[in-house]
Amino acid sequence: MTVDDATSGEDARRPSERSGYPTPHHVVDHTAEPTHDPLAIRLEQLILGAERRYTPFQAARTAGVSMDLASRFWRAMGFADIGQAKALTEADVLALRRLAGLVEAGLLSEPMAIQVARSTGQTTARLAEWQIDSFLEGLTEPPEPGMTRTEVTYPLVELLLPELEEFIVYVWRRQLAAATGRVVQAADDEEMVDRRLAVGFADLVGFTRLTRRLEEEELGELVEAFETTCADLVAAHGGRLIKTLGDEVLYAADDAGTAAEIALRLIETMAHDDSMPALRVGIAFGTVTTRMGDVFGTTVNLASRLTSIAPKDTVLVDGAFAEELIRTREAPASEAQAAETAAEAEKQGQAPPSYRFALQPMWQRPVRGLGVVEPWLLGRRST
């Protein structure tokens, strides 16, 4: 529900022209009216906890927010324009008041408040779509012949709503605590935004060909199994899943050893699953820019390019990643050096170094947009 602008005759321009934030017409229907379906209205009131009371103009005025700012907040949250229909509630007014209050108090700049609205809207929109498509849709199948979906949906939502709300807040607080911990441990202010991370892409080999052979339902189940497996492994071994792209996942880790362990675990796990295509992984280490939970920069691009040239069931890493593993003594520079170090330790009656990973230099090759790189093949070191 985005807000159209004031209805006074003094300014008849479109909201997109007044605010400076153009609204794509293929996305937003400016003539859209709220639904009048009785069940939909009852469900909306149940979920929002309030009745429709305000037009967008009335909501902005009640919240003490300019129409321009209110319109930008609503668009950022991802809601469609509703003209001046009476469709907003006390909760909508409170949300506007809170965001504007953070700006007025100097806790957030106006662009940052817009970004908060946008990132929250995008994240929760995906969550809500998943819950309806994959969760509620299955549960609302009529349990007895003759029952309609309408008769099942309302009481089910009524029971689930408080439990799901509490769980979502719990997970958000946990994630916020973890993210805050990473930020306060940063070496300096610059590192909070531009950080040195290991970034990995894991990609299913031959996925395009697979889409031609599988039915849509089978393909959906395969993608869901792939994403679930990757998410579980990344989390279990201390990484962070940045995003999933169907046949590809992007993850990050604070150190090279963690990223290497995740990559090899992914390869090993998929290799033991006959229903899964082969996997390949590319990892790079370096400075990345983080925005709205995503990562950007040359390091990310390099990891993606390494994935595209990796043979199936292998992990390719860049030189900076290899150097980091060697620096932290997670891998030897070469097997000859490892043997020499072990022999020296034995002479002195000491235990030889224990390396987790092995690195093998590959042929230099040009990588589109990044020049010539020398990838390294990552593996486990045999004991």
Side-chain angles (χ1 to χ4, degrees):
M1 295 180 290
T2 57
V3 181
D4 208 323
D5 220 1
T7 55
S8 70
E10 297 175 0
D11 193 346
R13 291 176 295 166
R14 292 194 303 270
S16 59
E17 295 173 334
R18 286 189 295 274
S19 66
Y21 285 77
T23 304
H25 288 269
H26 67 282
V27 173
V28 176
D29 178 4
H30 292 271
T31 64
E33 290 290 334
T35 178
H36 296 291
D37 180 85
L39 175 62
I41 293 174
R42 286 181 62 215
L43 282 170
E44 179 188 273
Q45 291 176 357
L46 171 65
I47 293 169
L48 296 180
E51 296 182 357
R52 301 173 177 181
R53 291 187 55 188
Y54 303 101
T55 66
F57 179 72
Q58 290 169 339
R61 184 174 58 187
T62 304
V65 177
S66 72
M67 277 304 303
D68 178 69
L69 185 59
S71 180
R72 292 166 65 191
F73 279 149
W74 287 119
R75 289 193 182 101
M77 284 186 280
F79 297 125
D81 285 354
I82 58 169
Q84 287 302 319
K86 185 173 287 190
L88 305 185
T89 71
E90 288 289 350
D92 299 314
V93 171
L94 182 58
L96 282 175
R97 190 176 292 148
R98 280 177 170 160
L99 277 174
L102 291 172
V103 175
E104 290 172 6
L107 295 172
L108 293 177
S109 65
E110 189 172 303
M112 180 59 70
I114 297 292
Q115 192 176 58
V116 167
R118 180 170 290 111
S119 62
T120 305
Q122 290 177 358
T123 302
T124 52
R126 184 179 181 189
L127 176 62
E129 288 290 344
W130 179 88
Q131 288 173 333
I132 294 300
D133 292 344
S134 303
F135 185 46
L136 290 177
E137 189 172 285
L139 288 178
T140 52
E141 290 297 331
E144 297 180 11
M147 290 189 69
T148 65
R149 184 177 292 265
T150 300
E151 293 172 316
V152 178
T153 302
Y154 190 93
L156 180 62
V157 172
E158 191 172 30
L159 289 170
L160 283 174
L161 186 62
E163 302 301 325
L164 286 176
E165 182 177 21
E166 289 291 332
F167 183 71
I168 289 168
V169 171
Y170 154 74
V171 176
W172 172 71
R173 284 182 176 271
R174 267 288 177 187
Q175 294 286 5
L176 187 64
T180 303
R182 289 192 294 269
V183 169
V184 298
Q185 292 174 39
D188 50 46
D189 289 345
E190 286 187 8
E191 193 178 330
M192 291 184 186
V193 178
D194 297 317
R195 307 169 57 192
R196 285 178 63 78
L197 295 175
V199 178
F201 277 94
D203 176 58
L204 291 175
V205 179
F207 184 77
T208 302
R209 291 193 301 273
L210 200 61
T211 60
R212 302 190 190 105
R213 300 204 316 264
L214 296 180
E215 298 291 334
E216 286 187 7
E217 185 174 347
E218 294 176 306
L219 192 63
E221 290 173 354
L222 184 144
V223 169
E224 184 175 357
F226 169 63
E227 291 182 350
T228 300
T229 300
C230 290
D232 288 348
L233 284 171
V234 169
H237 294 282
R240 298 186 297 284
L241 188 68
I242 303 299
K243 59 186 173 185
T244 60
L245 304 168
D247 62 332
E248 189 174 59
V249 299
L250 170 62
Y251 72 92
D254 293 326
D255 62 271
T258 297
E261 182 65 30
I262 290 170
L264 293 173
R265 292 270 183 172
L266 287 171
I267 294 289
E268 292 159 1
T269 301
M270 297 298 175
H272 286 88
D273 189 341
D274 294 336
S275 67
M276 283 289 174
L279 190 71
R280 55 188 178 183
V281 182
I283 318 177
F285 185 84
T287 301
V288 301
T289 298
T290 59
R291 289 287 186 279
M292 293 175 65
D294 207 343
V295 291
F296 308 91
T298 302
T299 302
V300 181
N301 295 338
L302 179 55
S304 177
R305 300 289 190 271
L306 288 171
T307 306
S308 67
I309 63 174
K312 67 178 183 178
D313 294 328
T314 64
V315 181
L316 286 187
V317 305
D318 74 326
F321 187 90
E323 288 176 7
E324 188 67 11
L325 284 182
I326 294 167
R327 185 187 70 81
T328 57
R329 299 188 178 182
E330 299 270 17
S334 66
E335 287 304 313
Q337 186 225 36
E340 183 180 328
T341 303
E344 184 64 29
E346 187 176 352
K347 284 181 183 179
Q348 298 180 8
Q350 300 174 350
S354 178
Y355 299 108
R356 297 168 61 194
F357 309 110
L359 291 165
Q360 178 183 338
M362 308 291 284
W363 291 104
Q364 289 186 349
R365 64 190 71 187
V367 174
R368 181 167 54 89
L370 296 171
V372 177
V373 299
E374 181 182 2
W376 294 66
L377 184 66
L378 175 73
R380 293 201 185 278
R381 190 163 184 272
S382 57
T383 54

